[in-house]
Amino acid sequence: MILCQRFIAVLLISLLLSTSPRCATAEGGDMPEIEISSLESRLLRDPVQHWTSETQTRIDELPIDAFRPLTDEQVNQGITDRDYWIRFRVSNADNNNPVRWVLHHETSYLDEMSVYYADNDQPLQKVTLSDREPFTERPVDYRTLAFEHTTRQNSYTDLYLRLRYEKPDAMSLNVYLSRADIFYNKSRKEYFLFGTYYGVMGSLLIIALVFASIMRQVVYLYYAVFLASSILMWALLNGFAFQYLWPGSVYWQNEGFHIIFLATAITALQFSRHFLQTARCCPRINKIIYLAQWIMIGGILLRFAGLYTPVLYLSFVSLALLALLPLLGYFAYQYGMRYARWYSIAWLFYGISLVFSVLSAGSNLLSWGMTPLIFTQIGGVLESVFLLIALGERLVGWDRDRLHALEIANKDPLTGLGNRRALEEAFDSLKIQLRSTDKPVFLLMIDLDHFKEINDEYGHDAGDYILQHLARILSLLCRPEDICIRYGGEEFAVLTRMDNVEQACQFSERIRTEFANQPTTYEETPIPHTLTIGVAGPIESGHEIKRAELLRQADAALYRAKQAGRNQTVVYA
């Protein structure tokens, strides 16, 4: 009977040991230990151990012998739906003070972090942190999954972490362990820096919307939409969208990432197509971009319909393809769009960092965790600023082209003087100037004498040469504020401001005598010539300038001068 009782007792003890998780000392060696009393903050690394399992593995099924040291090489696991276990012990060697500490994962999109913990070989307790629950239910008010605990003085806490996704996604094994005071101090500084980022991006968004409203140009609106989608993408990646924008929407926290990724790529391409005018400078590439946009739109619709894995890969590829946009800017620059250089600079660093971020998240080729995301986010600010500079240079270029076109429209191509349109604009400006000055306005109408005979005798090329000769004389004798134009044919006009009629006549006579005394030499043949001038005015301050009336008076004075024998100046009376 006694032997039977002993046998039953041994059997029960064996059963209890076999079903209890092996924590402190188990097959495969002691629990890897981290001394917390003097620790500030660190990533979990060797001697911390990790192991990968299929989904739904229970903690009592863990093969302790299979755990291996967690090093940088194992941090990035690529896109996966497997479970990842991490085991270690937090030890507090301080004999007087307990230590409060915090564990937190580096990404905001981890579906679940289960924490199994036990103090001093007590039974394991479990806390499951998940973004499948509203943000308000998190025990630590932080943008990523975080767990807080206190290890008593001269004590220890054994920990098993299980990291997992319900559906495949980019897995990082970067988990931070920090003393609680250090964690909260760092988080305040961290939130301040993030606030600066969103403040700058928000300011750029407002500027873009103001420009879109004032300029009435759709390219500024596309730039604003791209900025808005970029801000939303980073708010998701940083965890602030779930924390502040939709803390109760589990759906958008889990399903919104790839939708927003695709939306960001679509708006980036839409802005690029209009900004670089790809339909004009590279039509084939424009068709490819247009097709890519529709594929991305299809991906968004499929995501709303419930399709997951293909859309995940499509979103990653779409973001990585944005790294090719600097080449698009180069093609546009080669086409003659000088502002495209800023566009290429903007996308160069941002695009490269996007590629590294996608590689870090979607593969195990790199061992940087999600660190590239930090540089990509900083690059996003620089990119947005450079794009705004590019938009500004484009606007300046448009204004320069407009002024150049206006100059051409107001210029006589043969003589380089103004034309009738320039004279009309000069009349309009003089109406304003007469309100602030006492100098009266005069109009000189100039006509070359017997110009038809000169053309007949010497040829039209010689006649053109004479017209250019007179234009040079007028340019030399007229002041910068005088308006000197070719009115048409052999007629010229000067709109000037003089103190009185006598001064206007002296100016007219100087033009007439200079032209008469300087025969034009064409093909080594001197061609004598004269001109006749009719003067209209004065129009004095306080009087309205009537363009038609002043022209009529100048024509009448010119006609009288011709009737009187030409080669003279006559003032309208």
mmCIF file of all heavy atoms in Angstrom, residues 106-109 143-144 198 232-241 257 261 373 377:
data_model
loop_
_atom_site.group_PDB
_atom_site.id
_atom_site.type_symbol
_atom_site.label_atom_id
_atom_site.label_comp_id
_atom_site.label_asym_id
_atom_site.label_seq_id
_atom_site.Cartn_x
_atom_site.Cartn_y
_atom_site.Cartn_z
ATOM 1 N N GLU A 106 9.011 48.230 -31.681
ATOM 2 C CA GLU A 106 9.378 49.422 -32.447
ATOM 3 C C GLU A 106 8.337 49.825 -33.490
ATOM 4 O O GLU A 106 8.323 50.976 -33.929
ATOM 5 C CB GLU A 106 10.735 49.221 -33.144
ATOM 6 C CG GLU A 106 10.712 48.325 -34.358
ATOM 7 C CD GLU A 106 11.986 48.427 -35.179
ATOM 8 O OE1 GLU A 106 12.707 49.430 -35.078
ATOM 9 O OE2 GLU A 106 12.269 47.480 -35.934
ATOM 10 N N THR A 107 7.465 48.916 -33.935
ATOM 11 C CA THR A 107 6.510 49.253 -34.993
ATOM 12 C C THR A 107 5.106 49.412 -34.431
ATOM 13 O O THR A 107 4.753 48.824 -33.405
ATOM 14 C CB THR A 107 6.479 48.173 -36.092
ATOM 15 O OG1 THR A 107 5.916 46.973 -35.563
ATOM 16 C CG2 THR A 107 7.870 47.897 -36.621
ATOM 17 N N SER A 108 4.316 50.200 -35.147
ATOM 18 C CA SER A 108 2.941 50.455 -34.718
ATOM 19 C C SER A 108 1.963 49.440 -35.289
ATOM 20 O O SER A 108 0.801 49.415 -34.875
ATOM 21 C CB SER A 108 2.512 51.856 -35.172
ATOM 22 O OG SER A 108 2.483 51.921 -36.592
ATOM 23 N N TYR A 109 2.411 48.628 -36.241
ATOM 24 C CA TYR A 109 1.476 47.746 -36.939
ATOM 25 C C TYR A 109 1.591 46.280 -36.510
ATOM 26 O O TYR A 109 0.976 45.402 -37.115
ATOM 27 C CB TYR A 109 1.664 47.848 -38.453
ATOM 28 C CG TYR A 109 3.101 47.774 -38.920
ATOM 29 C CD1 TYR A 109 3.718 46.552 -39.145
ATOM 30 C CD2 TYR A 109 3.827 48.934 -39.150
ATOM 31 C CE1 TYR A 109 5.024 46.480 -39.570
ATOM 32 C CE2 TYR A 109 5.146 48.877 -39.575
ATOM 33 C CZ TYR A 109 5.733 47.653 -39.785
ATOM 34 O OH TYR A 109 7.044 47.583 -40.200
ATOM 35 N N ARG A 143 2.306 54.913 -28.481
ATOM 36 C CA ARG A 143 1.930 54.722 -29.884
ATOM 37 C C ARG A 143 2.160 53.299 -30.398
ATOM 38 O O ARG A 143 1.575 52.900 -31.396
ATOM 39 C CB ARG A 143 2.680 55.724 -30.765
ATOM 40 C CG ARG A 143 4.189 55.589 -30.691
ATOM 41 C CD ARG A 143 4.896 56.755 -31.354
ATOM 42 N NE ARG A 143 6.337 56.544 -31.335
ATOM 43 C CZ ARG A 143 7.012 55.886 -32.260
ATOM 44 N NH1 ARG A 143 6.391 55.355 -33.296
ATOM 45 N NH2 ARG A 143 8.321 55.736 -32.162
ATOM 46 N N THR A 144 3.029 52.520 -29.748
ATOM 47 C CA THR A 144 3.223 51.116 -30.113
ATOM 48 C C THR A 144 2.874 50.255 -28.899
ATOM 49 O O THR A 144 2.700 50.755 -27.788
ATOM 50 C CB THR A 144 4.661 50.824 -30.569
ATOM 51 O OG1 THR A 144 5.540 50.937 -29.444
ATOM 52 C CG2 THR A 144 5.106 51.795 -31.661
ATOM 53 N N TYR A 198 5.151 66.942 -38.000
ATOM 54 C CA TYR A 198 3.787 67.151 -38.480
ATOM 55 C C TYR A 198 3.448 68.640 -38.584
ATOM 56 O O TYR A 198 2.631 69.036 -39.422
ATOM 57 C CB TYR A 198 2.789 66.417 -37.579
ATOM 58 C CG TYR A 198 2.867 64.919 -37.749
ATOM 59 C CD1 TYR A 198 3.440 64.122 -36.759
ATOM 60 C CD2 TYR A 198 2.414 64.301 -38.908
ATOM 61 C CE1 TYR A 198 3.541 62.747 -36.919
ATOM 62 C CE2 TYR A 198 2.515 62.929 -39.073
ATOM 63 C CZ TYR A 198 3.077 62.163 -38.072
ATOM 64 O OH TYR A 198 3.182 60.803 -38.254
ATOM 65 N N LEU A 232 -0.778 61.282 -43.696
ATOM 66 C CA LEU A 232 -1.605 60.200 -43.160
ATOM 67 C C LEU A 232 -0.822 58.884 -43.127
ATOM 68 O O LEU A 232 -0.944 58.098 -42.169
ATOM 69 C CB LEU A 232 -2.864 60.050 -44.018
ATOM 70 C CG LEU A 232 -3.949 59.121 -43.477
ATOM 71 C CD1 LEU A 232 -4.353 59.529 -42.072
ATOM 72 C CD2 LEU A 232 -5.151 59.132 -44.402
ATOM 73 N N MET A 233 0.000 58.631 -44.164
ATOM 74 C CA MET A 233 0.798 57.417 -44.189
ATOM 75 C C MET A 233 1.754 57.368 -42.992
ATOM 76 O O MET A 233 1.856 56.342 -42.298
ATOM 77 C CB MET A 233 1.599 57.335 -45.492
ATOM 78 C CG MET A 233 2.485 56.096 -45.597
ATOM 79 S SD MET A 233 3.486 56.047 -47.109
ATOM 80 C CE MET A 233 4.758 57.245 -46.720
ATOM 81 N N TRP A 234 2.420 58.494 -42.721
ATOM 82 C CA TRP A 234 3.364 58.508 -41.608
ATOM 83 C C TRP A 234 2.652 58.497 -40.267
ATOM 84 O O TRP A 234 3.173 57.952 -39.273
ATOM 85 C CB TRP A 234 4.301 59.713 -41.729
ATOM 86 C CG TRP A 234 5.311 59.510 -42.806
ATOM 87 C CD1 TRP A 234 5.390 60.144 -44.009
ATOM 88 C CD2 TRP A 234 6.371 58.545 -42.798
ATOM 89 N NE1 TRP A 234 6.432 59.651 -44.745
ATOM 90 C CE2 TRP A 234 7.052 58.671 -44.030
ATOM 91 C CE3 TRP A 234 6.809 57.596 -41.884
ATOM 92 C CZ2 TRP A 234 8.140 57.879 -44.363
ATOM 93 C CZ3 TRP A 234 7.903 56.804 -42.214
ATOM 94 C CH2 TRP A 234 8.555 56.957 -43.433
ATOM 95 N N ALA A 235 1.458 59.075 -40.203
ATOM 96 C CA ALA A 235 0.686 59.004 -38.958
ATOM 97 C C ALA A 235 0.335 57.556 -38.635
ATOM 98 O O ALA A 235 0.353 57.139 -37.468
ATOM 99 C CB ALA A 235 -0.580 59.846 -39.082
ATOM 100 N N LEU A 236 0.037 56.760 -39.672
ATOM 101 C CA LEU A 236 -0.206 55.332 -39.472
ATOM 102 C C LEU A 236 1.060 54.619 -39.026
ATOM 103 O O LEU A 236 1.063 53.850 -38.060
ATOM 104 C CB LEU A 236 -0.727 54.714 -40.765
ATOM 105 C CG LEU A 236 -2.233 54.794 -41.016
ATOM 106 C CD1 LEU A 236 -2.543 54.512 -42.478
ATOM 107 C CD2 LEU A 236 -2.969 53.802 -40.126
ATOM 108 N N LEU A 237 2.156 54.852 -39.734
ATOM 109 C CA LEU A 237 3.406 54.161 -39.431
ATOM 110 C C LEU A 237 3.954 54.542 -38.059
ATOM 111 O O LEU A 237 4.551 53.717 -37.359
ATOM 112 C CB LEU A 237 4.450 54.466 -40.508
ATOM 113 C CG LEU A 237 4.219 53.791 -41.863
ATOM 114 C CD1 LEU A 237 5.144 54.365 -42.924
ATOM 115 C CD2 LEU A 237 4.433 52.280 -41.748
ATOM 116 N N ASN A 238 3.750 55.794 -37.653
ATOM 117 C CA ASN A 238 4.225 56.228 -36.337
ATOM 118 C C ASN A 238 3.301 55.791 -35.207
ATOM 119 O O ASN A 238 3.681 55.855 -34.038
ATOM 120 C CB ASN A 238 4.363 57.755 -36.291
ATOM 121 C CG ASN A 238 5.386 58.288 -37.269
ATOM 122 O OD1 ASN A 238 5.220 59.371 -37.811
ATOM 123 N ND2 ASN A 238 6.447 57.528 -37.528
ATOM 124 N N GLY A 239 2.087 55.385 -35.527
ATOM 125 C CA GLY A 239 1.132 54.970 -34.509
ATOM 126 C C GLY A 239 0.214 56.072 -34.019
ATOM 127 O O GLY A 239 -0.661 55.843 -33.183
ATOM 128 N N PHE A 240 0.370 57.284 -34.569
ATOM 129 C CA PHE A 240 -0.444 58.401 -34.099
ATOM 130 C C PHE A 240 -1.859 58.373 -34.674
ATOM 131 O O PHE A 240 -2.772 58.948 -34.068
ATOM 132 C CB PHE A 240 0.234 59.726 -34.436
ATOM 133 C CG PHE A 240 1.547 59.911 -33.733
ATOM 134 C CD1 PHE A 240 2.718 60.086 -34.449
ATOM 135 C CD2 PHE A 240 1.611 59.897 -32.358
ATOM 136 C CE1 PHE A 240 3.935 60.249 -33.799
ATOM 137 C CE2 PHE A 240 2.812 60.061 -31.687
ATOM 138 C CZ PHE A 240 3.978 60.235 -32.411
ATOM 139 N N ALA A 241 -2.033 57.759 -35.831
ATOM 140 C CA ALA A 241 -3.380 57.678 -36.392
ATOM 141 C C ALA A 241 -4.296 56.894 -35.447
ATOM 142 O O ALA A 241 -5.432 57.304 -35.176
ATOM 143 C CB ALA A 241 -3.339 57.028 -37.775
ATOM 144 N N PHE A 257 -3.294 50.507 -43.668
ATOM 145 C CA PHE A 257 -1.906 50.728 -44.078
ATOM 146 C C PHE A 257 -1.726 50.617 -45.588
ATOM 147 O O PHE A 257 -1.235 51.540 -46.249
ATOM 148 C CB PHE A 257 -0.977 49.728 -43.372
ATOM 149 C CG PHE A 257 -0.644 50.115 -41.969
ATOM 150 C CD1 PHE A 257 -1.402 49.644 -40.905
ATOM 151 C CD2 PHE A 257 0.415 50.957 -41.697
ATOM 152 C CE1 PHE A 257 -1.107 49.994 -39.604
ATOM 153 C CE2 PHE A 257 0.732 51.318 -40.397
ATOM 154 C CZ PHE A 257 -0.039 50.835 -39.339
ATOM 155 N N PHE A 261 -0.824 53.381 -48.327
ATOM 156 C CA PHE A 261 0.409 53.242 -49.119
ATOM 157 C C PHE A 261 0.110 53.441 -50.603
ATOM 158 O O PHE A 261 0.807 54.183 -51.306
ATOM 159 C CB PHE A 261 1.027 51.858 -48.911
ATOM 160 C CG PHE A 261 1.646 51.645 -47.558
ATOM 161 C CD1 PHE A 261 2.081 50.390 -47.162
ATOM 162 C CD2 PHE A 261 1.792 52.689 -46.665
ATOM 163 C CE1 PHE A 261 2.641 50.180 -45.917
ATOM 164 C CE2 PHE A 261 2.354 52.501 -45.409
ATOM 165 C CZ PHE A 261 2.770 51.236 -45.037
ATOM 166 N N LEU A 373 13.032 53.688 -41.775
ATOM 167 C CA LEU A 373 11.826 54.512 -41.766
ATOM 168 C C LEU A 373 12.101 55.897 -41.193
ATOM 169 O O LEU A 373 11.501 56.881 -41.630
ATOM 170 C CB LEU A 373 10.725 53.825 -40.962
ATOM 171 C CG LEU A 373 10.004 52.651 -41.622
ATOM 172 C CD1 LEU A 373 9.010 52.036 -40.660
ATOM 173 C CD2 LEU A 373 9.283 53.100 -42.896
ATOM 174 N N GLN A 377 11.390 59.241 -43.261
ATOM 175 C CA GLN A 377 10.488 60.289 -42.805
ATOM 176 C C GLN A 377 11.172 61.655 -42.831
ATOM 177 O O GLN A 377 10.554 62.660 -43.227
ATOM 178 C CB GLN A 377 9.993 59.965 -41.397
ATOM 179 C CG GLN A 377 8.825 60.816 -40.950
ATOM 180 C CD GLN A 377 8.101 60.227 -39.760
ATOM 181 O OE1 GLN A 377 8.456 59.153 -39.267
ATOM 182 N NE2 GLN A 377 7.077 60.914 -39.283
#
